[in-house]
Amino acid sequence: MTGGLAAHLVVERVDFRLDVRLRVAAGEVVALLGPNGSGKTTALRALAGLQPLTAGHVTLDGRDLDRPATRSWTPPERRRVGVVFQDHLLFPHLSAVENVAFGPRRQGLDRRAARALARDWLDRVGLADHAARRPRQLSGGQAQRVAVARALAVGPALLLLDEPLAALDARTRLDIRAELQRHLAAHCGAVLLVTHDPLDALVLADRLVVVEAGRVVQEGDATTVTARPRTDYVARLVGLNLHRGHATGHRVRLSDGLVLATADRGDGDSFVAFPPSAVALHPDRPGEGRCNTWAATVAGVERHGDNLRVRLDGVLPVAADVPPVDAAGLRLSTGQPVWAAVEPTAIRVYPAAVT
Ligand SMILES: Nc1ncnc2c1ncn2[C@@H]1O[C@H](COP(=O)(O)OP(=O)(O)OP(=O)(O)O)[C@@H](O)[C@H]1O
């Protein structure tokens, strides 16, 4: 790959090591997901040149920006990298148009041309009327639009978005997410989006890379990652129950001894995944002949959309979604014993070994 980003990011700290390989083709949007402290911001800062690498390299469009082994290093302001932070960090003393014109000016455009380009970008993000306003005179959503315009106005070969929607209220988030989707689709450089929100990742990204404790634990397109989570974090992110066991044909023996019947066939060390909506709860033991039933206790209940999400303890800790109409007959208080059941057809089985 010559265009786009090819990076091996190694950053060592006293109690943390980031060791992540990333490839983002020109025109591709990759989402970097991971729990708190997994190294997402460190990776982003390394790509922007705000955090030197201990080892590895950052190569953009075939040029090394950082490679400690050969002492090559390009400072942040000379990288063709645009960054949009969560809290949009606009220059407070500059107007919207001056904020957007800043990068093009630094790239050598004269004042007039830079302002014309900046006005054009403000127009594209729907803020032509707000060009003269200072950041404090803009709403959160407007400031974030200016930040996006500012990052894109320099034509970055790599655009880094750090939780770009996190600081916005729900309604603004929807609007900006849709707009961002348009701008990213039109952008011909590589885009890396750091997010906690699976929806942002699924809507905006072509591919997901999940990091935990400084390592990539799973990557792939959204369909594969969401259908076949490989860690508890990914399973929770996509709302699935995930367990591991030993499959023999249509049976999977879980580590605690429970055997699940499955419509899928498996062989050897396998994951089983099923949605909370597939777990049915019963006050008493379901009738003879029902497979995949087990005794559980209610560990907690919360609202989840139109349903109640019930967390269960017991041989198989899972989440179950219960429609309110069914909840009445179950007495779902914490510590309450119930029976759980899951249909074999609702369970996905896939190899635990990475192929
Ligand atoms: N400047 C720093 N000095 C020392 N350690 C740091 C520094 N910044 C982050 N860390 C540590 O490095 C690790 C990775 O942090 P990082 O901020 O990259 O994670 P993150 O995935 O972005 O987390 P979050 O989702 O909470 O923003 C954490 O253990 C963190 O405590």
Side-chain angles (χ1 to χ4, degrees):
M1 182 175 79
T2 50
L5 171 74
H8 179 197
L9 307 174
V10 180
V11 176
E12 300 213 32
R13 295 203 183 103
V14 180
D15 53 357
F16 178 77
R17 179 182 161 90
L18 179 79
D19 187 343
V20 161
R21 288 177 194 274
L22 279 176
R23 276 179 176 273
V24 189
E28 189 184 27
V29 181
V30 169
L32 189 61
L33 292 143
N36 288 128
S38 56
K40 305 180 296 295
T41 306
T42 305
L44 212 74
R45 289 173 54 81
L47 293 169
L50 302 167
Q51 162 75 59
L53 294 180
T54 313
H57 64 100
V58 175
T59 309
L60 187 58
D61 286 349
R63 283 194 47 223
D64 281 345
L65 302 181
D66 189 354
R67 188 181 288 269
T70 59
R71 295 178 180 273
S72 25
W73 163 256
T74 305
E77 66 278 7
R78 293 201 15 240
R79 297 185 178 202
R80 290 187 51 218
V81 176
V83 191
V84 178
F85 290 104
Q86 173 181 342
D87 38 13
H88 35 76
L89 296 180
L90 295 173
F91 300 119
H93 57 290
L94 297 183
S95 66
V97 72
E98 288 163 345
N99 261 286
V100 181
F102 184 86
R105 275 286 278 157
R106 214 174 45 189
Q107 285 180 331
L109 274 194
D110 67 42
R111 192 177 141 81
R112 203 191 179 102
R115 284 182 81 94
L117 183 68
R119 283 188 184 281
D120 181 44
W121 270 106
L122 286 177
D123 191 27
R124 286 196 227 180
V125 298
L127 287 177
D129 299 345
H130 294 64
R133 294 215 188 161
R134 298 276 164 91
R136 68 184 143 74
Q137 298 168 312
L138 298 169
S139 71
Q142 289 165 343
Q144 198 57 310
R145 287 188 174 107
V146 175
V148 169
R150 188 176 65 167
L152 288 172
V154 293
L158 173 64
L159 177 65
L160 302 172
L161 302 162
D162 188 9
E163 299 270 3
L165 307 174
L168 306 176
D169 63 65
R171 173 72 233 183
T172 314
R173 214 181 154 105
L174 267 181
D175 293 344
I176 305 260
R177 187 187 288 125
E179 280 176 31
L180 203 51
Q181 192 180 12
R182 268 193 298 114
H183 294 308
L184 297 187
H187 180 57
C188 26
V191 180
L192 186 71
L193 163 74
V194 163
T195 179
H196 271 105
D197 185 338
L199 193 57
D200 290 348
L202 298 180
V203 170
L204 297 172
D206 303 309
R207 201 154 52 79
L208 315 182
V209 175
V210 186
V211 287
E212 290 182 43
R215 298 288 178 132
V216 175
V217 292
Q218 189 162 7
E219 61 185 303
D221 61 60
T223 319
T224 313
V225 173
T226 53
R228 299 183 153 209
R230 307 191 66 82
T231 71
D232 283 340
Y233 167 76
V234 181
R236 275 201 307 278
L237 201 70
V238 300
L240 288 176
N241 292 302
L242 180 71
H243 292 274
R244 193 164 177 163
H246 188 88
T248 313
H250 295 285
R251 294 268 181 284
V252 182
R253 177 176 293 277
L254 303 178
S255 44
D256 44 33
L258 188 73
V259 176
L260 291 179
T262 62
D264 282 357
R265 281 187 72 88
D267 181 21
D269 189 14
S270 301
F271 285 120
V272 293
F274 49 92
S277 57
V279 181
L281 299 188
H282 305 270
D284 304 305
R285 183 174 201 153
E288 282 296 308
R290 269 300 286 278
C291 61
N292 298 347
T293 63
W294 67 95
T297 39
V298 173
V301 183
E302 61 206 33
R303 278 202 75 84
H304 186 82
D306 292 338
N307 294 321
L308 298 177
R309 174 151 296 178
V310 183
R311 281 183 297 108
L312 298 175
D313 275 345
V315 284
L316 194 60
V318 296
D321 282 353
V322 179
V325 58
D326 297 342
L330 283 165
R331 292 199 312 279
L332 292 172
S333 49
T334 304
Q336 178 76 26
V338 288
W339 280 83
V342 62
E343 289 297 329
T345 49
I347 303 173
R348 287 181 212 134
V349 181
Y350 47 96
V354 183
T355 47

